[in-house]
Amino acid sequence: MSEFDQLIDRTGTDSIKWAVKPGELPMWIADMDFKTAPAIIAAMQQKVQFGVFGYEEPPAAYFTAVADWYESQHGARPDPAWMLYCTGVIPAVSSVVRRVSHPGDNVVVQAPVYNMFYHSIENNGRHTLSSDLVYDQAAGTYHIDFEDLEQKLADPLSTLMILCNPHNPVGKAWSKATLTRIAELCLKHHVVLLSDEIHGDLVFGAPAYTPVFALPERLRNNAVICVSPSKTFNVAALHAATVIVPGKALRESVTRALNNDELAEPNLLSLPASIAAYTQGAAWLADLKATLLANRRQVQDVLQSSLPAVKPAFENATYLLWLDISALHADSETFCQFLREQTGLILSAGSEYRGNGAQFIRMNIACPKAQLTDGLQRLAKGVHLFEEQNL
């Protein structure tokens, strides 16, 4: 049996995802129900066996491992001199928001987008200004209204844009041409571009993931790029990320931000685990992506054959599937609550991502096939019950 077929009981393990009632099936928060790569576990075990856990700082080997990974996996090598260690992507985002923008400024996003961005913006006294993605319902895809985006970036109060590349929750890898156009507009209007690229390793087919640091020098020097092994290797609890800032002046500012916020000191396992992930994890990732691709196809087949009321609206990135439920004529929060009560299936309500998210649900398919089949059966049951009660 493949390691990706193994059903793991995560109840009672302090898991946020699995803090559920008996019989419930959580398929919402973005962590996977797979064990991480064996090389990562071995590296952590070796560290624990060493037994001395004093203060640490990232060695050159850590930053070299990140650079080697992006060169081998994505054909773009970031200079290790551009890199800063941080205890997580969202902590880095919040820190950059505080340093680069000012209270009362606008921070531009593209809704529907990862809900934590709103917390990072609004909890720090800034305003969210969204250039909403445009949904083509017939195609089940999104695109950018560049005229609207430029208008939002040109606002005198707009000082920062947070980009999700690839985009969560719509599961879209932005093309290099699209990223270039976004970065050009940010530079034109003196807006710093902050790119969350935590899902970059989980892209299936074209367009490929393009790191923002791979753009031309004048564009990347106006950007802050956040990466992490967290989603790729299911190690969110390590609290490890790398902030890549090619521009020297901007990097010095971000360095002060991360250190002032006490976000630059690693925990005892984050360094050996991250180095192992980036130096020994490629084969494991290839197997993971094959599993996720099969799961994506299974969902598409089920929706097409027996769930016409749920339309796939996800594209080629992430293990989080964006599903259009507008045919049910219900907002996502109401439907998700009904689904949990009637079937025990727990999905994310799209409304929390704002924009047009109220007509969508988000489903995490990073789980063994048997678990996914169970989830799809519960979804089908819930949809049919909901339709019967709302005729």
Side-chain angles (χ1 to χ4, degrees):
M1 180 172 66
S2 163
E3 61 187 313
F4 297 107
D5 292 325
Q6 182 182 358
L7 291 169
I8 303 170
D9 183 2
R10 297 177 62 194
T11 56
T13 62
D14 300 323
S15 165
I16 293 174
K17 182 178 185 179
W18 283 91
V20 299
K21 299 174 184 175
E24 289 187 326
L25 178 60
M27 300 181 74
W28 62 289
I29 197 170
D31 76 16
M32 299 190 281
D33 288 314
F34 302 128
K35 287 186 178 181
T36 193
I40 296 174
I41 297 171
M44 291 194 289
Q45 288 173 333
Q46 183 178 2
K47 180 71 172 183
V48 170
Q49 288 169 0
F50 180 65
V52 181
F53 311 122
Y55 297 111
E56 298 187 359
E57 61 182 1
Y62 171 88
F63 299 111
T64 300
V66 176
D68 288 348
W69 177 264
Y70 279 86
E71 182 176 33
S72 64
Q73 291 289 315
H74 306 295
R77 183 178 183 83
D79 188 334
W82 300 345
M83 299 180 193
L84 307 167
Y85 177 88
C86 186
T87 55
V89 167
I90 289 303
V93 168
S94 295
S95 191
V96 171
V97 166
R98 287 189 291 272
R99 173 64 60 164
V100 172
S101 66
H102 301 88
D105 282 359
N106 293 330
V107 179
V108 177
V109 299
Q110 297 171 297
V113 73
Y114 181 44
N115 56 301
M116 292 302 294
F117 290 175
Y118 303 117
H119 295 282
S120 295
I121 295 165
E122 293 158 13
N123 290 349
N124 284 301
R126 279 68 171 170
H127 300 297
T128 300
L129 184 60
S130 180
S131 177
D132 288 4
L133 297 176
V134 180
Y135 181 52
D136 180 342
Q137 188 167 30
T141 59
Y142 283 86
H143 65 269
I144 296 170
D145 179 344
F146 275 101
E147 183 177 344
D148 180 72
L149 178 60
E150 179 161 19
Q151 181 183 354
K152 302 292 171 58
L153 292 171
D155 187 305
L157 289 178
S158 297
T159 53
L160 180 68
M161 176 177 176
I162 305 179
L163 173 71
C164 206
N165 173 43
H167 193 95
N168 171 20
V170 308
K172 187 181 185 78
W174 301 111
S175 69
K176 188 171 185 178
T178 296
L179 292 173
T180 300
R181 193 170 177 187
I182 293 170
E184 291 273 12
L185 290 175
C186 286
L187 186 62
K188 176 181 177 181
H189 295 290
H190 310 288
V191 173
V192 172
L193 179 60
L194 172 56
S195 187
D196 173 356
E197 307 198 349
I198 201 168
H199 294 280
D201 293 319
L202 300 173
V203 174
F204 308 88
Y209 157 64
T210 299
V212 166
F213 62 72
L215 298 182
E217 182 177 2
R218 65 188 183 86
L219 300 179
R220 70 182 183 228
N221 282 351
N222 186 51
V224 177
I225 300 97
C226 299
V227 301
S228 171
S230 170
K231 295 294 181 282
T232 307
F233 293 101
N234 203 32
V235 288
L238 280 181
H239 297 289
T242 306
V243 183
I244 303 173
V245 195
K248 184 175 184 296
L250 184 55
R251 184 167 64 252
E252 289 176 352
S253 181
V254 174
T255 298
R256 287 195 299 273
L258 298 180
N259 281 280
N260 285 349
D261 291 338
E262 308 296 346
L263 298 175
E265 293 187 4
N267 70 65
L268 77 157
L269 297 180
S270 63
L271 297 176
S274 296
I275 292 169
Y278 287 134
T279 59
Q280 302 175 64
W284 184 90
L285 175 59
D287 291 342
L288 169 70
K289 290 178 72 173
T291 299
L292 295 177
L293 190 59
N295 285 2
R296 288 166 69 91
R297 289 171 177 155
Q298 182 179 351
V299 173
Q300 289 173 316
D301 289 345
V302 169
L303 296 185
Q304 184 176 6
S305 64
S306 58
L307 270 177
V310 180
K311 180 178 174 61
F314 53 90
E315 297 187 45
N316 71 321
T318 84
Y319 54 72
L320 305 166
L321 302 191
W322 194 235
L323 306 175
D324 183 347
I325 59 165
S326 56
L328 297 178
H329 305 290
D331 70 89
S332 57
E333 194 171 342
T334 298
F335 177 70
C336 284
Q337 183 178 349
F338 178 88
L339 193 62
R340 183 172 187 173
E341 291 172 351
Q342 296 296 319
T343 74
L345 179 62
I346 307 171
L347 303 183
S348 296
S351 54
E352 64 184 295
Y353 308 104
R354 303 189 190 179
N356 72 335
Q359 72 182 67
F360 295 86
I361 53 177
R362 194 189 75 168
M363 184 178 197
N364 177 349
I365 61 160
C367 60
K369 179 181 175 65
Q371 191 169 309
L372 176 61
T373 300
D374 182 11
L376 289 170
Q377 289 171 346
R378 294 180 192 227
L379 177 61
K381 177 182 176 182
V383 168
H384 295 146
L385 285 172
F386 192 86
E387 287 176 320
E388 289 174 5
Q389 293 188 19
N390 290 275
L391 288 176

